[in-house]
Amino acid sequence: MTLTVDAARNRVFCGDREVVLSRTEYRLLECLARHRGFIMTNNQIIDHVWPDADMGDDHLLHSTINRLRRKLRSGEQYVITRRGIGYGIGVK
């Protein structure tokens, strides 16, 4: 199933189904989508999504990733985890 991030309209589609995301979930997904094919470190993601958060606030990131994955609820796992490094989309 194709994951589409429509940055012009701030909308996300999983195939034909629109996925309703919070502002934070959308910012996180958009950040990963802009860097498709690369693993972003936790700190890089936190800097982009929560610029005022303390470095090392990984719990906030992990809980938002979990909510995002539940909302995408596809047979495919779009957000890939690289333990000890970070997250990415379109990474093999």
Side-chain angles (χ1 to χ4, degrees):
M1 195 174 295
T2 304
L3 177 67
T4 305
V5 179
D6 182 350
R9 294 185 181 96
N10 293 337
R11 296 172 73 184
V12 174
F13 295 88
C14 219
D16 292 337
R17 176 179 60 88
E18 183 170 6
V19 181
V20 179
L21 301 176
S22 71
R23 178 179 296 167
T24 302
E25 293 160 350
Y26 179 81
R27 285 176 53 104
L28 174 58
L29 182 61
E30 180 186 36
C31 174
L32 294 174
R34 285 182 187 267
H35 298 91
R36 176 181 286 289
F38 296 95
I39 295 294
M40 296 187 68
T41 67
N42 291 354
N43 287 340
Q44 288 173 322
I45 298 168
I46 290 169
D47 281 348
H48 178 81
V49 179
W50 300 277
D52 297 328
D54 292 329
M55 295 300 271
D57 195 356
D58 291 343
H59 176 71
L60 184 59
L61 173 59
H62 299 312
S63 61
T64 306
I65 289 281
N66 287 334
R67 281 195 321 272
L68 180 59
R69 283 180 171 152
R70 277 194 305 271
K71 287 185 177 183
L72 294 177
R73 71 172 166 28
S74 172
E76 297 180 47
Q77 184 175 349
Y78 295 109
V79 180
I80 304 301
T81 302
R82 290 288 188 259
R83 287 210 184 287
I85 302 172
Y87 299 94
I89 291 179
V91 179
K92 296 185 181 194

